[in-house]
Amino acid sequence: MTKTTPLSRLLLPLLAISLLAGCQKEKEPAAELAVAPPAYQGTVVAVGDSLTAGYGVPEGDAYPARLEAKLNQAGYRWRVVNAGISGETSSGALSRIDWILRLKPDIVILETGANDGLRGVDPQLTRQNIDRMAAELQAKDVLVVLAGMQMMRNLGSDYVERFAAIYPAVAEKRHLILIPFFLANVAGDAALNQADGIHPLAQGYRIVVETVYPYLIQAIKRKTAGKQGR
Amino acid sequence: MLNLRFIGRQITGAKRQCVVFVLCVALSMVTLVSLGSFSRSVQSSLLRDARALHAADLIVHAHAPLPAPLQGRIASLAGQGELLSARYWDFYSVVQKATGEGTLLCDLKVVEPGYPFYGQLLLASGRPFSQVLTPGSLVVEQALLDRLRLRVGDALRVGNATLTIKDVLLQEPDRPVNFFALGPRVFIPASDLTSLGLLGRGSRADYVTLIKVAHPDRLQALLSALRGAAGDSRVRIESYRSADSRVKRFFDNLLFFLNLSGIFTLLLAGFGIQSTLFALLKEQERTIAVMKALGARSRFIIGHFLAVTLVLGLLGTLAGLSASLALQGLLPWLFRGLIPARVTLGVSGWAVAEAALIGLLVVLLFTALPLYRLKEVKPRAIFGKEESGGFWSRSTWVIAGTGALFFLAMVLVRIKDLKTGSYFVLALALLILVAYLLAVGVLRFLKGRQPKNLPLRQALKGLFRPANASRSIVVTLSAALAVIFAITLVERNLDASFIESFPPGAPNVFFIDIQPAQKAAFAASLAVKADYYPIVRGTVSAVNGQPVDAEKERESRGDNLAREFNLTYRHDLLADERIVSGKTLFRRDWPQEQVSVLDTVVKMHKMQVGDFISFRVQGVPIRARIASVRTRTSSGLAPYFYFVFPDSVLADAPQTLFCAARIDKRQIGAVQNRIVAGFPNVSVIDLTQTMTLFGQIMERLSTIVRFFTSFSIAAGVLIVVSSVFATRYARLQEAVYFTILGARRRFVLAVFAAENLVLGAVSGVIALVISQIGSLVICRQGLDMSYRAYPGQSLLLVLATTLLVVCVGMAASFSILRQKPVTFLREQADE
Amino acid sequence: MTILETLGITKSYLIGNRRIKVLDAVSLAVAKGEFLVVKGESGSGKSTLLAILSGLDRPDQGRVLIENQDVTDLDEDALAPLRNATFGFVFQSFHLIPSLSALENVMFPAELKGDPDARGKALTLLDRVGLGERAASFPHQLSGGEKQRCAICRALINEPRIIFADEPTGNLDSVNGAAVLELLLELQRERETTLLMVTHSPEIALRADRVVTLKDGRMVADGGHA
């Protein structure tokens, strides 16, 4: 398990730039409030709760950081911003969409709703929130990748089913890229999760990154194609 | 060969000194026995409570069914009759009304018969839990009935099963007071577990096996056996003893403090014993000199006086034990509310034995020096030719040093913590040193004074008569009083701070995660005036450009910078805040973005006004300059914020609202339901229980502290009495001279009173100075709270001390005054 | 004129459970300015007689008159002014106040009286007896002779009319003793003070105006030099 220090994070893009010298990739304007931004091709903002923030593991082991490393290694000079807030519900995520838009994201990976489920919130409310978030992001030309979530069985089959149905429904309605289950192959495996059984360990997040990656590449390709098409 | 008659006569001949000696020993006994008994009672009651708190002797806890080896071990041990086991499963689920619409998240507990092994579940009907929870039944909390609008007897759909509500739960023994659940409790019998269909792969539940051991002394052995069978799995096995309950820690702290005060009382009593014995032996000096002149060896004489000491010690021990037994009736009243009523506070045999042993040690320790000094009495003392030889010879140092070491060892044994014990002893040594220096200074100042008032002038001269003990009296009194004053001052400040923290109108309910858009509707629904604080989650990424090293930060024991913080923005200070660095909260003349930090942050990482902190607010970096450092002046449950920004910086940031409201206790349930129903994303924290309990505890605490402190005061009084007795002869002599020279009784009384007044006032003032400084340090540095000097109370303390010394001194001197001068002269002439 | 008179003084003490008669019907009259010696063996009751004459003790029977005033039944507070201004005491064991210097010891009776010139008078007296240099010394720093001389000054400072001296030379060597005696007599003659002295020394008795002898509590001789 390696930890990316700020220094190495700076080196990798520089390395990537020198490798890709000669390729014609447009530079994206830096975020408004960023400090001395290097030249990125694009910005992905990972919006979510503790599963995004990386509760209980160092920030470098949370999935956004790893995802960025993986992208850069593959030659995509994109940055992935960790905008996760532990304990946040879908209502909370909805209320901060404006703040997220300040980062001028090209793509948003939306991973939310788990805390709603843990509190037994009516899945109808969660669905409405996610739907509105997707609408607001799309209106600002942001491409949304929706992370599907599932609730634990003990909450009752009725609830579990209604909850799980949220994500495919919204993804279909808004034409979002859907990750079927964010914690696929991680949830329920004691070796990959912390003692509370909910939050993954670093090795769990490695798998999450592998799960998310292909959908993100899909999104990047769609986005850059869209731009070039203009 | 001991001459018992000799010993007896010695005692009757020096009645006053012996009484003080016996009282000092008795006081030590009472302190030790009371403390010891209290401590033991608390331990046993806590253990008893701990069992109930966990409903079992051993608790096996996992997030999955137990591994086979462990299950097998438990089964075999049960078969051998070593233990009884009962399982339960604890998990959340969304229950549904059987008829009609309505769902609710509930905290389910599916229990096997046998639960709970200790403690009781109280039901509204009053019937026993085991009788009510039959297959197909439910026992639920009132909140569920309120939220779903159901009644006892209605049906409820849980998972795949439909069950009937049979009773309402009032109290659950193994659910701590401050536990915050996301939904009401529902009890289900284990026989219905499979029909629920809620457990299996993909579910998250607590799998708990409770164990009751058949033979208590096998507890540790069984614990080890089960832990061995559990191996490396994530199964956690605890005994009720190892549970780290907050109550246990609280009592540990209380007992620790009481132990310290007990040791201090012992020290004082010890000094009382020592000075009394010195005085007693001094009175006997002529007799001893005669004995030596007649050929008695030092060993013989010391042996006899040692016997006297031991007899007196025994008398004191018996007196102390009787007093302790008498106190026994008082203790339960004193400690009510802190300890469950079913606990009997009594004098424990162990405490008595321990006290007797320690008492003996103290007597031996403090009488060693005076007895040793008997060697120095020379036969020529018969002729009254005393040469005041050096008191501090090498052997005296050795004995005093050994005594001090023994005392230190005793302290450490009681406190069991080397560092704290050493600090305590060092603090005592420092106290005595400072008292000594101050006493020397003040006495030196007084020596040259020539007040116009004749009795006062004579009193001052009397204080400095040859071979006077004024300095040692002042030092001992000042040191003793300084501690007593300090305890009083600190206690007053704690009281005030507590009252401040929980003023009558203080908020008692917190609401978190309110979305900003909900504020208007929420406030309307709440219908009570409340305070709203914006909360913005963020992290600290760097200080002055230096990135925060997350790993290193997490290693620190206290709070650290590597976690997420609740940032906020406001334009003024909270009511219980004040600025310690920087002029105002924010500065108008700075162009950069600013932040105000709490002093606790400065403790985590060195920083000062003018430094820059870099934050990350959900990916957006913000660099702000520290404009001020704040500190909290109260220590209650009021909200506080480490980082405060001006409105401009964070007003648009993603935030939730935190609301603190004061709600009438009877309304809280209804309000809670209303809010959670209307705003399902809002969580409610009810503080009333905590606050009431806390208030009660604080009150009980100060009573208990005062009770044990009064022992120290009693020791202080004994020391005053002892010193007055020690100087009796000299005062008597002077009183006679004054009378012969034509002074009226009034004059003699005035001189005595003035002498005691000066001693009392000087000691009191020195004690006050030391205690004010000491209390300031303790409050500011140790307890991290603001300090108030209480000048009125302080003055009262000094006055009371002076009055006490004068009264005790006068009372002890009355017998002197009644003596006719001629009797004294005649006794003199006899020599 | 008779300055001091006693009539039928009887005094006994309870020692253990035996009653011991120390004085038996002693009557005495002392003239103003007289130097009277009360002589007797140890245990003859002479110190007790002095104590009763000076008001320090009370007789079981009999009366004591000072300047024709019956002082037998006066309480301690009423006796105080007498002790302060009318009497002066000199003791065998000196009995100086240990916490006061020589000067302060001498000043004390005058201060009690409220005399504003106590200090001046004291210094004069001390100079007179040769202790001027030692005025600031404390009793434990003075020799026996010096202490007694200091005590004499103290006894004289309020110009008492009667001085009671109980074996004043008892604790002094012969040289000092003689010096002290001379001093006392000199001062007594100067001021015409009545001097009542208890002693068992025949030499001192020879110097007295009158000698009274006590034996076993009874006066067996009075007048002349016995």
Side-chain angles (χ1 to χ4, degrees):
Chain A
M1 185 184 7
T2 54
K3 164 170 58 85
T4 47
T5 62
L7 196 59
S8 54
R9 286 174 80 173
L10 208 55
L11 279 177
L12 277 170
L14 286 176
L15 208 65
I17 289 169
S18 57
L19 279 174
L20 296 165
C23 296
Q24 285 159 330
K25 291 270 195 245
E26 267 187 26
K27 285 197 187 149
E28 286 296 314
E32 198 176 358
L33 289 172
V35 184
Y40 287 119
Q41 290 177 310
T43 303
V44 178
V45 176
V47 177
D49 48 41
S50 51
L51 296 173
T52 299
Y55 176 83
V57 301
E59 205 185 326
D61 281 333
Y63 98 83
R66 287 186 177 275
L67 194 57
E68 183 182 274
K70 197 172 165 77
L71 277 180
N72 292 326
Q73 261 182 339
Y76 295 93
R77 277 188 346 260
W78 286 63
R79 65 175 182 139
V80 180
V81 177
N82 188 331
I85 298 184
S86 297
E88 190 189 57
T89 57
S90 60
S91 314
L94 176 61
S95 68
R96 62 177 173 118
I97 287 296
D98 286 333
W99 189 257
I100 289 161
L101 285 170
R102 271 207 217 183
L103 292 164
K104 302 253 190 302
D106 297 289
I107 297 169
V108 161
I109 305 176
L110 188 59
E111 173 274 307
T112 188
N115 285 306
D116 299 50
L118 286 174
R119 296 194 206 179
V121 170
D122 188 350
Q124 185 65 13
L125 175 66
T126 312
R127 182 200 281 228
Q128 276 172 8
N129 288 338
I130 296 178
D131 186 54
R132 279 179 58 190
M133 276 191 270
E136 280 187 39
L137 287 169
Q138 284 181 326
K140 290 292 196 310
D141 217 15
V142 177
L143 208 143
V144 179
V145 176
L146 184 62
M149 290 303 299
Q150 291 174 10
M151 263 300 113
M152 298 98 167
R153 184 175 152 182
N154 50 285
L155 286 173
S157 54
D158 195 45
Y159 188 85
V160 167
E161 278 164 21
R162 284 173 60 207
F163 185 87
I166 296 172
Y167 300 90
V170 177
E172 189 182 318
K173 178 178 171 191
R174 298 280 174 188
H175 310 291
L176 310 175
I177 297 174
L178 175 70
I179 306 170
F181 183 30
F182 185 73
L183 292 176
N185 303 317
V186 179
D189 189 336
L192 298 173
N193 288 290
Q194 297 177 29
D196 62 8
I198 300 181
H199 297 100
L201 291 167
Q203 47 264 49
Y205 283 120
R206 261 196 230 126
I207 297 177
V208 168
V209 169
E210 296 302 319
T211 307
V212 171
Y213 186 73
Y215 298 95
L216 182 57
I217 296 296
Q218 223 184 71
I220 291 177
K221 289 208 170 108
R222 208 191 275 187
K223 189 75 183 180
T224 30
K227 276 214 204 71
Q228 282 176 342
R230 241 175 249 139
Chain B
M1 175 210 56
L2 281 175
N3 192 331
L4 292 170
R5 260 182 303 163
F6 171 80
I7 294 168
R9 285 210 200 101
Q10 283 298 311
I11 294 178
T12 45
K15 271 195 283 282
R16 285 188 197 84
Q17 300 285 16
C18 289
V19 166
V20 176
F21 188 97
V22 166
L23 282 176
C24 284
V25 176
L27 183 64
S28 318
M29 275 299 115
V30 171
T31 310
L32 286 168
V33 172
S34 302
L35 264 183
S37 301
F38 174 57
S39 159
R40 284 209 154 67
S41 302
V42 163
Q43 303 279 24
S44 69
S45 83
L46 275 183
L47 289 182
R48 224 176 301 189
D49 262 351
R51 272 205 178 98
L53 276 176
H54 295 91
D57 294 317
L58 293 176
I59 308 102
V60 182
H61 186 280
H63 280 296
L66 297 186
L70 183 55
Q71 280 195 41
R73 205 70 163 76
I74 294 175
S76 73
L77 285 168
Q80 290 165 22
E82 287 252 37
L83 54 83
L84 290 171
S85 77
R87 293 174 296 173
Y88 75 78
W89 296 262
D90 191 341
F91 53 92
Y92 282 98
S93 190
V94 176
V95 305
Q96 274 179 300
K97 283 170 75 162
T99 49
E101 289 287 315
T103 58
L104 183 66
L105 181 74
C106 292
D107 191 351
L108 304 189
K109 197 159 174 180
V110 184
V111 298
E112 282 187 336
Y115 165 91
F117 287 124
Y118 303 101
Q120 277 194 344
L121 276 122
L122 290 179
L123 305 182
S125 69
R127 286 187 295 152
F129 181 67
S130 48
Q131 274 184 23
V132 173
L133 201 70
T134 51
S137 24
L138 295 172
V139 170
V140 305
E141 271 188 327
Q142 183 63 37
L144 183 149
L145 300 176
D146 293 339
R147 291 286 297 276
L148 289 179
R149 282 178 258 275
L150 291 171
R151 278 197 302 240
V152 171
D154 287 343
L156 193 66
R157 209 170 149 67
V158 183
N160 297 335
T162 305
L163 303 149
T164 319
I165 301 173
K166 287 283 175 63
D167 212 326
V168 176
L169 173 74
L170 294 179
Q171 184 180 298
E172 190 182 330
D174 52 340
R175 200 190 201 192
V177 171
N178 59 348
F179 176 70
F180 173 68
L182 291 166
R185 172 68 88 202
V186 174
F187 273 100
I188 305 175
S191 51
D192 291 309
L193 182 63
T194 28
S195 66
L196 297 177
L198 290 174
L199 289 187
R201 186 164 163 77
S203 51
R204 188 173 160 267
D206 289 330
Y207 291 72
V208 178
T209 306
L210 298 177
I211 292 178
K212 178 176 180 176
V213 307
H215 310 287
D217 41 316
R218 289 277 295 149
L219 182 73
Q220 273 306 119
L222 287 174
L223 177 61
S224 317
L226 291 179
R227 277 191 176 145
D232 284 330
S233 63
R234 276 184 175 166
V235 178
R236 211 175 67 232
I237 308 183
E238 301 287 341
S239 83
Y240 69 92
R241 270 184 217 260
S242 51
D244 180 20
S245 93
R246 197 184 290 178
V247 176
K248 181 172 180 296
R249 265 181 290 145
F250 164 76
F251 272 105
D252 279 345
N253 286 336
L254 176 64
L255 283 172
F256 179 77
F257 170 76
L258 290 180
N259 263 330
L260 283 184
S261 100
I263 288 175
F264 183 70
T265 308
L266 273 183
L267 188 64
L268 286 183
F271 274 121
I273 291 173
Q274 188 177 66
S275 67
T276 315
L277 194 59
F278 261 127
L280 195 154
L281 293 177
K282 190 135 182 72
E283 274 178 26
Q284 299 298 318
E285 214 169 64
R286 285 279 163 83
T287 313
I288 295 166
V290 169
M291 284 166 76
K292 285 202 179 176
L294 295 174
R297 276 203 161 81
S298 285
R299 214 174 309 159
F300 177 82
I301 296 174
I302 291 180
H304 268 84
F305 279 103
L306 181 63
V308 171
T309 309
L310 289 174
V311 168
L312 291 175
L314 186 64
L315 282 172
T317 306
L318 291 172
L321 285 179
S322 323
S324 306
L325 285 168
L327 272 180
Q328 194 187 340
L330 182 64
L331 288 180
W333 173 85
L334 190 68
F335 295 124
R336 72 185 187 283
L338 268 187
I339 296 181
R342 63 175 178 271
V343 172
T344 40
L345 286 171
V347 173
S348 88
W350 272 116
V352 169
E354 196 192 5
L357 183 63
I358 295 182
L360 178 67
L361 272 173
V362 167
V363 168
L364 287 176
L365 257 180
F366 284 95
T367 54
L369 205 54
L371 287 176
Y372 183 76
R373 291 288 306 167
L374 280 180
K375 262 178 29 121
E376 304 295 316
V377 175
K378 300 276 184 291
R380 64 165 180 270
I382 301 176
F383 302 109
K385 300 278 178 213
E386 306 167 38
E387 276 166 18
S388 42
F391 182 80
W392 290 106
S393 66
R394 199 185 60 178
S395 38
T396 321
W397 276 112
V398 168
I399 294 188
T402 319
L405 276 174
F406 266 117
F407 183 75
L408 176 64
M410 207 176 67
V411 168
L412 290 176
V413 162
R414 287 226 118 194
I415 299 190
K416 295 187 198 343
D417 176 357
L418 183 63
K419 201 167 101 163
T420 320
S422 316
Y423 279 162
F424 177 66
V425 174
L426 274 172
L428 275 181
L430 185 67
L431 169 69
I432 295 174
L433 181 67
V434 171
Y436 181 83
L437 290 172
L438 283 174
V440 164
V442 173
L443 287 174
R444 202 167 287 179
F445 168 73
L446 283 177
K447 195 160 185 184
R449 302 288 123 225
Q450 303 269 18
K452 290 236 170 51
N453 181 287
L454 186 60
L456 186 59
R457 205 171 345 134
Q458 287 307 120
L460 281 181
K461 293 262 186 305
L463 282 178
F464 298 106
R465 60 177 76 94
N468 71 81
S470 303
R471 185 167 52 190
S472 54
I473 292 175
V474 171
V475 172
T476 319
L477 263 184
S478 311
L481 290 168
V483 174
I484 296 171
F485 286 3
I487 292 177
T488 315
L489 285 170
V490 170
E491 211 210 301
R492 296 243 88 230
N493 272 286
L494 276 175
D495 266 352
S497 149
F498 174 75
I499 291 170
E500 239 172 83
S501 311
F502 300 101
N508 58 347
V509 184
F510 291 166
F511 300 89
I512 59 178
D513 278 348
I514 306 169
Q515 301 302 325
Q518 293 174 318
K519 182 171 175 193
F522 178 87
S525 179
L526 190 65
V528 179
K529 186 171 173 316
D531 294 315
Y532 295 86
Y533 307 90
I535 307 276
V536 180
R537 303 279 284 174
T539 54
V540 175
S541 50
V543 178
N544 281 335
Q546 286 270 36
V548 165
D549 184 346
E551 284 298 297
K552 193 152 160 286
E553 287 289 323
R554 264 185 267 261
E555 274 167 25
S556 90
R557 270 190 303 150
D559 209 350
N560 65 81
L561 283 181
R563 64 175 181 88
E564 275 186 23
F565 288 96
N566 291 328
L567 315 175
T568 194
Y569 58 89
R570 31 183 321 116
H571 46 79
D572 52 12
L573 290 169
L574 289 172
D576 61 350
E577 280 184 335
R578 73 183 163 87
I579 296 181
V580 289
S581 186
K583 289 192 279 271
T584 50
L585 189 63
F586 301 115
R587 297 170 64 131
R588 276 185 229 269
D589 54 330
W590 278 0
Q592 310 98 333
E593 274 148 359
Q594 301 174 42
V595 65
S596 171
V597 308
L598 202 60
D599 52 359
T600 21
V601 178
V602 179
K603 285 197 193 129
M604 288 188 238
H605 191 296
K606 215 163 78 91
M607 56 180 78
Q608 57 189 8
V609 171
D611 286 352
F612 285 88
I613 308 181
S614 305
F615 297 87
R616 275 256 298 279
V617 180
Q618 293 114 52
V620 177
I622 295 178
R623 190 160 165 268
R625 201 162 182 205
I626 302 178
S628 60
V629 178
R630 295 160 290 125
T631 188
R632 294 184 72 207
T633 55
S634 81
S635 47
L637 297 177
Y640 62 94
F641 301 95
Y642 284 11
F643 300 100
V644 172
F645 291 81
D647 293 5
S648 55
V649 180
L650 287 186
D652 296 329
Q655 56 195 256
T656 57
L657 289 174
F658 167 90
C659 170
R662 175 148 200 97
I663 302 177
D664 188 309
K665 215 156 61 154
R666 296 158 294 177
Q667 309 276 11
I668 291 184
V671 170
Q672 245 183 304
N673 278 335
R674 203 165 65 222
I675 294 296
V676 174
F679 308 92
N681 52 301
V682 173
S683 304
V684 185
I685 301 174
D686 179 7
L687 293 173
T688 34
Q689 279 269 33
T690 318
M691 277 163 62
T692 323
L693 189 64
F694 207 59
Q696 283 175 344
I697 290 180
M698 283 301 285
E699 202 208 310
R700 300 269 104 242
L701 255 190
S702 57
T703 313
I704 291 175
V705 165
R706 282 206 200 108
F707 174 72
F708 281 102
T709 309
S710 62
F711 289 158
S712 299
I713 295 177
V717 169
L718 282 175
I719 287 184
V720 171
V721 171
S722 161
S723 357
V724 168
F725 282 163
T727 51
R728 209 171 151 269
Y729 183 80
R731 289 166 193 231
L732 173 62
Q733 189 185 56
E734 278 183 16
V736 169
Y737 291 171
F738 290 155
T739 312
I740 291 173
L741 294 172
R744 288 201 154 79
R745 189 166 299 179
R746 208 174 29 217
F747 179 85
V748 177
L749 271 172
V751 174
F752 277 171
E755 214 179 301
N756 289 319
L757 190 86
V758 170
L759 279 178
V762 167
S763 306
V765 170
I766 293 179
L768 189 68
V769 168
I770 298 178
S771 64
Q772 282 283 351
I773 297 176
S775 308
L776 179 77
V777 169
I778 292 174
C779 285
R780 283 259 172 94
Q781 306 293 112
L783 299 170
D784 201 19
M785 55 188 229
S786 66
Y787 178 73
R788 236 173 286 173
Y790 290 101
Q793 294 261 346
S794 305
L795 192 64
L796 217 65
L797 283 172
V798 176
L799 283 175
T801 306
T802 312
L803 198 65
L804 177 73
V805 175
V806 169
C807 287
V808 170
M810 299 308 286
S813 309
F814 271 137
S815 54
I816 297 177
L817 293 168
R818 274 187 280 116
Q819 270 213 9
K820 282 221 164 35
V822 70
T823 325
F824 176 79
L825 291 175
R826 197 180 311 121
E827 281 169 7
Q828 284 269 293
D830 274 347
E831 299 294 322
Chain C
M1 63 161 273
T2 308
I3 191 171
L4 188 157
E5 194 173 348
T6 79
L7 305 163
I9 300 291
T10 302
K11 180 81 183 173
S12 57
Y13 287 115
L14 202 61
I15 298 186
N17 47 10
R18 289 181 303 147
R19 191 153 273 279
I20 309 229
K21 203 177 254 194
V22 181
L23 289 174
D24 193 0
V26 174
S27 297
L28 184 62
V30 184
K32 186 168 180 323
E34 196 178 1
F35 173 18
L36 179 77
V37 158
V38 178
K39 200 166 82 94
E41 306 286 326
S42 301
S44 55
K46 52 190 195 298
S47 292
T48 310
L49 179 63
L50 196 73
I52 290 175
L53 290 178
S54 61
L56 287 181
D57 200 355
R58 211 163 287 185
D60 295 338
Q61 281 172 353
R63 314 231 60 80
V64 178
L65 292 106
I66 305 283
E67 294 174 326
N68 287 322
Q69 186 196 359
D70 188 337
V71 303
T72 326
D73 296 320
L74 289 182
D75 65 25
E76 291 284 305
D77 266 7
L79 285 168
L82 276 180
R83 289 172 181 159
N84 184 244
T86 314
F87 301 158
F89 291 94
V90 181
F91 297 99
Q92 179 179 1
S93 308
F94 324 123
H95 289 317
L96 291 173
I97 299 176
S99 52
L100 301 177
S101 67
L103 178 63
E104 287 161 345
N105 261 292
V106 175
M107 275 168 63
F108 185 73
E111 284 182 305
L112 266 180
K113 194 162 160 221
D115 190 335
D117 189 32
R119 194 184 179 81
K121 290 189 181 157
L123 277 169
T124 313
L125 276 169
L126 283 171
D127 275 331
R128 177 71 203 277
V129 303
L131 282 177
E133 311 278 299
R134 311 280 279 151
S137 304
F138 284 82
H140 66 271
Q141 294 165 319
L142 299 172
S143 72
E146 288 168 334
K147 277 195 273 206
Q148 198 60 295
R149 276 183 276 163
C150 178
I152 291 172
C153 294
R154 180 178 72 178
L156 289 172
I157 190 165
N158 279 343
E159 293 178 26
R161 294 193 278 291
I162 310 176
I163 293 185
F164 296 95
D166 188 353
E167 311 249 24
T169 57
N171 282 351
L172 301 173
D173 59 73
S174 49
V175 172
N176 272 309
V180 159
L181 183 65
E182 287 311 318
L183 186 59
L184 258 179
L185 292 178
E186 193 181 312
L187 293 165
Q188 178 245 350
R189 270 194 297 268
E190 255 177 51
R191 293 147 192 250
E192 292 188 2
T193 321
T194 311
L195 177 58
L196 235 79
M197 190 182 298
V198 161
T199 182
H200 58 263
S201 153
E203 291 85 30
I204 295 178
L206 280 171
R207 311 282 299 273
D209 293 335
R210 198 173 100 189
V211 177
V212 162
T213 311
L214 285 183
K215 189 175 159 84
D216 294 330
R218 286 201 201 85
M219 193 148 61
V220 296
D222 181 0
H225 304 273

